[in-house]
Amino acid sequence: MQKFLIVLGLCLILGISANAQSLSEAKPSFDCAKASTKVEKMICNDKSGELQKLDSLYSKLYFSILKNIPKDTKEGQNVRESLKEFNYSVMGYRNAFQCYFVAPFDTGQKTIQSYYSNYCVKQIYLEAIATLAFKMIDSEANREKWGFNKRMEDFIVPIENPNGAYDMDIKFLPDYNLFNKFFENTTKSIIIDFMTYDIMQWNYFLVDVRINEANADLFDEAVEKYKIYYEKLYQAFTKDKKLDKLIGS
């Protein structure tokens, strides 16, 4: 009987291990056999596996945050509605391949669609994950502590949109102290650096002066810098043990 229980326990452990995913082997949040849209098929056919990982990570993070927000308080209901609006925007951007800083200014639209679509989707997921992470710790007190506001004050144009690509203030989300539940502390500085740069660029190019031939050189420079920031985000997210655990849950 004791031997039977040991064998049964071992089988259960092996079964759990076999079903658990890590970020390195994560599958998309949807069934690829049922993929019907262009972007879903692209994610499933991405040979690098990066889009599958990011789709799975974003989905797990979004729904895990939502699960931790109470439904029975007014504050919780407001946060949940804001999160759902945020997700709606992310999916809208993703499905429409709506990206800005993916290719040099003079790149034709057909070239962007042919060669930059994967990067566009990768960019959308990374920005969405970083934004969710940032919103979990974003407060005036923290912005002062990080030197965030000082950097904004020194920028060349006024900061009219303090939220970046997703111009949405998810109020009260920091009150739930969820960042350390999903992210290691070492990932925090990379997220803050990215969001600082992202907010400044959005205010310069998309709020104040717009993208045009006069600032094409600055735009191309931003495209190259974004590549560096996005790669740092990707490396940080894939190395973060808490995110890896989240994927396996």
Side-chain angles (χ1 to χ4, degrees), residues 38-46 51 97 117-118 121:
K38 181 179 178 180
V39 71
E40 286 178 343
K41 291 176 182 178
M42 175 182 292
I43 290 169
C44 292
N45 293 328
D46 177 33
L51 298 186
F97 297 94
S117 293
N118 276 41
V121 175

Side-chain angles (χ1 to χ4, degrees), residues 107-171:
T107 307
Q109 192 60 36
K110 287 186 177 180
T111 302
I112 291 176
Q113 292 175 354
S114 299
Y115 296 102
Y116 292 93
S117 293
N118 276 41
Y119 176 51
C120 173
V121 175
K122 179 179 179 179
Q123 182 186 99
I124 289 168
Y125 276 127
L126 286 170
E127 187 152 30
I129 294 165
T131 302
L132 279 177
F134 185 72
K135 290 302 178 184
M136 287 189 272
I137 53 175
D138 188 19
S139 68
E140 278 304 310
N142 278 339
R143 287 193 177 207
E144 285 296 330
K145 183 172 71 175
W146 300 329
F148 191 96
N149 290 340
K150 179 61 178 173
R151 292 169 72 177
M152 294 295 158
E153 288 172 8
D154 293 340
F155 195 50
I156 54 178
V157 298
I159 302 298
E160 296 179 33
N161 167 8
N163 299 304
Y166 300 96
D167 188 10
M168 187 178 296
D169 182 14
I170 308 177
K171 291 181 178 179

Side-chain angles (χ1 to χ4, degrees), residues 126-127 129-139 141-149 151-152 162-163 179-180 183-200 229 232-233 236-237:
L126 286 170
E127 187 152 30
I129 294 165
T131 302
L132 279 177
F134 185 72
K135 290 302 178 184
M136 287 189 272
I137 53 175
D138 188 19
S139 68
N142 278 339
R143 287 193 177 207
E144 285 296 330
K145 183 172 71 175
W146 300 329
F148 191 96
N149 290 340
R151 292 169 72 177
M152 294 295 158
N163 299 304
F179 184 89
N180 290 327
F183 293 89
E184 291 185 320
N185 204 48
T186 51
T187 308
K188 185 183 293 184
S189 62
I190 296 169
I191 290 168
I192 294 169
D193 283 347
F194 168 78
M195 290 302 299
T196 306
Y197 183 78
D198 190 48
I199 289 170
M200 290 192 294
Y229 277 107
K232 285 183 178 180
L233 282 178
F237 293 159

Side-chain angles (χ1 to χ4, degrees), residues 43-62:
I43 290 169
C44 292
N45 293 328
D46 177 33
K47 293 180 180 179
S48 72
E50 290 181 346
L51 298 186
Q52 289 99 317
K53 296 174 194 175
L54 291 171
D55 175 84
S56 180
L57 179 55
Y58 170 74
S59 178
K60 280 274 190 177
L61 180 62
Y62 167 70

